[in-house]
Amino acid sequence: MKEAAHSNAFSNKAGLMALLVTVGIVFGDIGTSPLYVMKAITGVNPAYDANYIIGAVSCIIWTLTLQTTLKYVIIALQADNKGEGGILALYSLLKNLRHKWLFVPAIIGASMLIADGVITPAVTVTSAIEGLENFSAGIPVIPIVLIIIALIFLIQPFGTGSIGKFFGPFMMAWFLMLGILGIINLSESYSILKAFNPYYAINLLLHHPAWFLILGAVFLCTTGAEALYSDLGHCGKRNITVSWGFVKVMLILNYLGQGAWLLTMEGNYHRGVNPFYAIMPDWFLIFGIIMSTGAAIIASQALLSGSFTIFSEAISLNFWPRIKIKYPGSSKGQLYIPLINLFLFIGCIVTVLLFQNSSNMEAAYGLAITLTMLTTTLLLGFWMKFKGVKTWISVSFMAVFIFIEGIFLVSNAAKFMHGGWYTIMLAAIIFAIMFVWQKAVKIRNKFIEYRKYDDHLDIISDISKDKEIPLHASNLVYISKSDNPKEVESKIMYSIINKHPKRADHYFMIRVNYDDTPHKLEYRYEVLIPETLISIDLYLGYKIEPKVSVYLRQIIEDMIEKGELDLTSNYPSLKKRNIPGDFRFIIIHRLFSPSSNCRPFEKLVMQLYGILSKMGITTEKALSLDTSNVTVENVPLIITRGTNRRISLARLS
């Protein structure tokens, strides 16, 4: 009985710790929205009345309920790809359906989410630091913001494992602070509690001439919902669902407190004053600013980690050039992408310098994430159908949320000329790269020829034994991109047989399969010619570093242990000393040929692909190969539509 009680106590403790970590990781973005939402709402109508404030807070409460709770926490969290969430993880569940066009909304949503990730650190940090203006109007807000943002990006290469353990307790204190401040200020005007009645929200939207601007401001309260779904793999649906109940209560209490304060200030409110800081006692203000800055940093960190994951997924799905990914921490799946970190850093700095203050940034905020939510709704509708949900339910789901988010889109569209163009421009650039890369990969794969292994086994066996052919290497390793384990690219066979025949003791054909599962690390192999030709399949999750040389060594050790392989060199002087033979990797690099007879669109895509390829890293670096043991053979990729015109023999007159 004592042992059972001890076990239960430990289980409960572990559960509470998991919830604490979840609060720290998942809710940073949506948890910092009270910094600017009510300020944006009063900015729409500084000469507000009681009905305006009650209606606006009612809009916030029901937006958090319908959009965040119902759509994301209750429904979207069920659509996990082996525990991972987010729009690209959702697309991975649907990519094999006959609806091939679904990749378009998937990359639109991912592009918009990344663009939103550029502006979120800027607006949250700026909103927090602007609290210092309550002490002195001459405080240099912009330089302080730039320094903090620079520090956030500078710590990324070192990983966040060590500081991540502090996120949970800090964000727990943050949310408790939000709730307590709200409760304290409720006594200012209990009439704000009418906001729980949706009548006031509907009445405001039906009768206020600037309803679309109001909704544009209200929408900011739920912008972190998409990030909540993206962080599913970090914490799990149960922990997110349970902790959201606490987070939602604290958020609503704070919005109610700000609303109650605004009701007492009717007619005396000065535009530019942030209600979030105004409800704090004077003695608490400096502590509140410190807490706000810390929460903004944590929210920014969560978005950066999410952005790295999105790009990792995009690479796995062939939506983005393969770029260098580093794994700074020991924790499972922690990753860092230097090029993306630099891109996001420059984007944040430009955002701060371009918009100067949080009010201007709010105008650029929200439009992109609305489009992400719309694309997520569309994909969720197809996922529900794929899971066997009745058609009328999936169609109703799409209709309801497309209607809600469509209204938000219209309201946020009014922000386009006031800053929304900035995030749309960033998203358009990212979308264009993803679209071109996906199309180019599809075109390339369509025009690559493959051959069956069975048709070449005899000649490869003979070449391996032919002493007249100089030994190219004891062990030759080719990287194959064939989808079929029974086939190999014709250019690889050409490299072994025709292009300076290559004799080796062993030939290894490695297929690297980038799996949708984040942490998968498995292999299979087939001995096609005993002691000569081995086909190996590597299955790597998108959060696994592709150390092909390391994994090949481990596989060979397994085969040697089973007696299926002997790597001892066949040179007599080395063999008698049991010295293993050397390894050489050969990579076939296909270059688009200008002589291709293809459509103008295909030619443009392939030319852009060549330019974008320079943004990525070479195959040998992507696979973590020792470049001193790698040979790259360039071969032409000729795309031919129809038949080429043949040259005619000239006749002498």
Side-chain angles (χ1 to χ4, degrees):
M1 290 296 292
K2 289 182 180 180
E3 289 182 0
H6 176 76
S7 175
N8 289 337
F10 177 78
S11 176
N12 291 333
K13 183 179 179 181
L16 290 174
M17 182 58 67
L19 293 175
L20 190 64
V21 171
T22 301
V23 170
I25 293 176
V26 175
F27 301 106
D29 190 6
I30 200 168
T32 51
S33 57
L35 276 168
Y36 44 78
V37 171
M38 292 304 294
K39 181 184 175 185
I41 287 171
T42 53
V44 174
N45 180 21
Y48 60 83
D49 57 17
N51 287 331
Y52 179 84
I53 295 300
I54 294 172
V57 174
S58 183
C59 286
I60 291 172
I61 292 172
W62 288 100
T63 297
L64 289 173
T65 300
L66 294 174
Q67 192 69 16
T68 310
T69 306
L70 179 58
K71 177 187 170 181
Y72 282 97
V73 176
I74 295 178
I75 297 175
L77 291 186
Q78 307 306 314
D80 66 298
N81 179 25
K82 301 179 179 71
E84 290 291 318
I87 191 163
L88 291 185
L90 176 58
Y91 169 74
S92 296
L93 298 171
L94 305 172
K95 67 178 183 178
N96 294 325
L97 298 181
R98 66 177 183 272
H99 307 291
K100 303 300 181 185
W101 56 271
L102 286 177
F103 85 92
V104 176
I107 61 177
I108 289 175
S111 302
M112 296 294 173
L113 190 57
I114 293 163
D116 185 70
V118 170
I119 198 169
T120 297
V123 71
T124 52
V125 174
T126 304
S127 296
I129 299 303
E130 282 177 346
L132 293 172
E133 293 177 338
N134 288 276
F135 293 101
S136 172
I139 290 179
V141 171
I142 297 300
I144 296 174
V145 169
L146 293 177
I147 290 171
I148 292 174
I149 288 177
L151 290 174
I152 291 171
F153 284 92
L154 283 172
I155 66 172
Q156 298 309 309
F158 304 102
T160 56
S162 57
I163 60 174
K165 63 183 70 174
F166 299 109
F167 287 2
F170 186 94
M171 290 305 292
M172 178 64 75
W174 166 257
F175 285 115
L176 287 172
M177 184 192 85
L178 293 182
I180 292 169
L181 286 173
I183 291 172
I184 291 172
N185 283 273
L186 269 179
S187 60
E188 297 284 342
S189 178
Y190 286 111
S191 61
I192 192 64
L193 295 176
K194 295 177 183 177
F196 284 103
N197 187 341
Y199 163 80
Y200 290 93
I202 296 170
N203 184 63
L204 177 67
L205 298 179
L206 288 178
H207 297 102
H208 201 286
W211 63 270
F212 55 96
L213 295 176
I214 297 169
L215 277 184
V218 167
F219 181 75
L220 298 176
C221 77
T222 191
T223 51
E226 192 69 38
L228 178 153
Y229 178 36
S230 298
D231 283 327
L232 173 60
H234 293 285
C235 302
K237 63 184 73 173
R238 179 180 175 275
N239 290 325
I240 293 175
T241 302
V242 173
S243 54
W244 168 243
F246 163 75
V247 170
K248 182 183 177 183
V249 170
M250 296 299 105
L251 289 173
I252 289 177
L253 283 173
N254 192 263
Y255 286 124
L256 289 170
Q258 291 188 52
W261 179 84
L262 284 167
L263 289 178
T264 65
M265 297 299 294
E266 186 175 347
N268 297 310
Y269 177 75
H270 297 288
R271 186 168 187 166
V273 174
N274 191 338
F276 178 78
Y277 290 115
I279 66 173
M280 295 181 184
D282 292 340
W283 60 268
F284 185 80
L285 189 56
I286 189 64
F287 180 76
I289 293 170
I290 293 171
M291 290 293 292
S292 301
T293 304
I297 291 171
I298 292 173
S300 302
Q301 178 58 57
L303 280 165
L304 287 176
S305 300
S307 296
F308 295 150
T309 299
I310 288 174
F311 277 102
S312 176
E313 291 173 327
I315 292 169
S316 177
L317 291 166
N318 284 323
F319 289 165
W320 196 265
R322 191 154 293 278
I323 52 181
K324 185 64 178 177
I325 300 177
K326 295 185 177 181
Y327 300 81
S330 58
S331 61
K332 190 177 182 182
Q334 188 178 139
L335 48 84
Y336 161 69
I337 307 178
L339 183 64
I340 301 307
N341 193 58
L342 178 62
F343 164 75
L344 295 174
F345 172 63
I346 293 172
C348 281
I349 295 299
V350 170
T351 301
V352 174
L353 295 177
L354 182 64
F355 293 101
Q356 293 292 310
N357 61 64
S358 62
S359 296
N360 293 335
M361 293 176 198
E362 288 155 12
Y365 196 36
L367 180 55
I369 202 68
T370 313
L371 290 168
T372 301
M373 288 181 170
L374 277 166
T375 56
T376 300
T377 295
L378 181 65
L379 295 179
L380 278 173
F382 278 92
W383 171 80
M384 292 170 74
K385 186 178 178 181
F386 168 69
K387 296 297 287 184
V389 176
K390 293 180 180 179
T391 302
W392 72 269
I393 296 177
S394 59
V395 171
S396 298
F397 167 80
M398 283 195 287
V400 169
F401 282 99
I402 286 175
F403 174 75
I404 293 172
E405 289 157 0
I407 294 176
F408 278 126
L409 179 62
V410 171
S411 64
N412 279 289
K415 300 179 178 181
F416 183 81
M417 296 306 296
H418 300 284
W421 60 269
Y422 180 69
T423 47
I424 297 298
M425 178 191 70
L426 292 174
I429 294 171
I430 298 166
F431 171 82
I433 294 173
M434 287 188 174
F435 183 84
V436 167
W437 194 263
Q438 194 273 347
K439 282 291 183 184
V441 169
K442 190 174 180 180
I443 292 170
R444 283 169 59 84
N445 291 342
K446 189 174 182 180
F447 288 93
I448 294 176
E449 295 181 0
Y450 297 93
R451 297 284 184 267
K452 291 183 178 179
Y453 279 117
D454 292 344
D455 297 336
H456 299 87
L457 297 182
D458 289 341
I459 190 170
I460 290 176
S461 180
D462 289 343
I463 290 174
S464 179
K465 298 171 184 175
D466 191 345
K467 305 299 182 181
E468 296 296 318
I469 301 174
L471 188 71
H472 194 83
S474 295
N475 303 280
L476 272 182
V477 184
Y478 281 88
I479 306 298
S480 172
K481 295 183 179 179
S482 171
D483 292 330
N484 188 342
K486 301 294 183 182
E487 295 180 343
V488 67
E489 294 93 323
S490 61
K491 293 298 183 182
I492 290 181
M493 287 295 125
Y494 181 85
S495 172
I496 297 174
I497 300 168
N498 305 93
K499 186 179 182 179
H500 193 289
K502 297 178 179 64
R503 181 166 69 89
D505 298 328
H506 306 101
Y507 300 89
F508 297 90
M509 301 292 174
I510 297 182
R511 296 169 63 245
V512 181
N513 303 281
Y514 295 99
D515 200 272
D516 297 334
T517 309
H519 306 291
K520 192 170 188 177
L521 181 57
E522 298 175 357
Y523 77 90
R524 289 178 185 155
Y525 70 92
E526 182 179 1
V527 179
L528 301 175
I529 303 175
E531 281 289 341
T532 303
L533 179 61
I534 298 100
S535 173
I536 297 174
D537 282 303
L538 295 178
Y539 299 93
L540 308 180
Y542 60 81
K543 289 188 176 182
I544 297 296
E545 187 172 3
K547 298 179 180 179
V548 172
S549 297
V550 174
Y551 305 143
L552 177 61
R553 190 183 310 121
Q554 294 171 356
I555 294 168
I556 288 173
E557 288 171 356
D558 290 347
M559 294 182 69
I560 291 173
E561 189 176 335
K562 294 178 182 178
E564 296 177 323
L565 195 62
D566 182 5
L567 285 188
T568 306
S569 173
N570 282 328
Y571 287 113
S573 59
L574 300 179
K575 190 168 186 176
K576 71 178 183 180
R577 293 174 173 83
N578 292 320
I579 296 175
D582 64 319
F583 275 81
R584 175 148 294 276
F585 289 81
I586 297 182
I587 294 173
I588 307 296
H589 187 203
R590 297 164 184 82
L591 300 175
F592 175 66
S593 173
S595 63
S596 296
N597 177 22
C598 58
R599 303 185 185 108
F601 174 73
E602 291 175 330
K603 194 166 189 175
L604 175 63
V605 167
M606 296 310 299
Q607 289 171 341
L608 291 173
Y609 177 86
I611 296 171
L612 293 174
S613 297
K614 294 178 174 58
M615 182 174 68
I617 57 176
T618 61
T619 303
E620 54 268 32
K621 287 184 179 179
L623 299 178
S624 300
L625 302 177
D626 182 355
T627 53
S628 64
N629 296 328
V630 175
T631 299
V632 177
E633 295 184 357
N634 292 321
V635 299
L637 176 65
I638 301 175
I639 299 176
T640 303
R641 296 285 186 181
T643 56
N644 287 320
R645 184 179 177 184
R646 291 188 60 83
I647 191 170
S648 302
L649 177 65
R651 298 181 181 275
L652 297 176
S653 56

